Amino acid sequence: MTTTGKADYWSLLGLPPGSDNNQLKRAFRREARKWHPDLNKDDNQAEERFKLVNEAYAILSDPLKRKAWEN
């Protein structure tokens, strides 16, 4: 996902652009639980997806990183 261009962090978390912090946190927790490698031992792609979910939350939850990502 990140190798072919800029990742769409909003869609990765299942949110519309501009969602508030509460929605962002809830979506992050939902997706993190869904893709956590310990809960998906037989899924080889779960760890990669989990990393992307964490990356998305790190960018979107930080106003400076989010602004830089949006530009």
Side-chain angles (χ1 to χ4, degrees):
M1 181 173 225
T2 56
T3 58
T4 59
K6 187 164 77 168
D8 184 356
Y9 293 137
W10 291 115
S11 68
L12 185 68
L13 294 174
L15 293 171
S19 295
D20 67 31
N21 287 336
N22 289 331
Q23 293 170 314
L24 181 60
K25 186 180 282 190
R26 278 194 304 266
F28 166 70
R29 288 180 177 170
R30 178 190 66 234
E31 293 298 312
R33 278 192 300 266
K34 180 178 178 181
W35 296 105
H36 197 284
D38 289 346
L39 301 175
N40 295 284
K41 293 184 188 303
D42 296 331
D43 186 350
N44 295 332
Q45 295 179 355
E47 183 177 357
E48 185 61 31
R49 182 69 180 228
F50 182 74
K51 288 177 183 178
L52 287 172
V53 166
N54 279 296
E55 180 181 321
Y57 183 71
I59 297 296
L60 296 176
S61 65
D62 182 312
L64 295 176
K65 291 179 183 177
R66 183 173 170 178
K67 186 174 181 177
W69 172 76
E70 289 174 340
N71 291 329

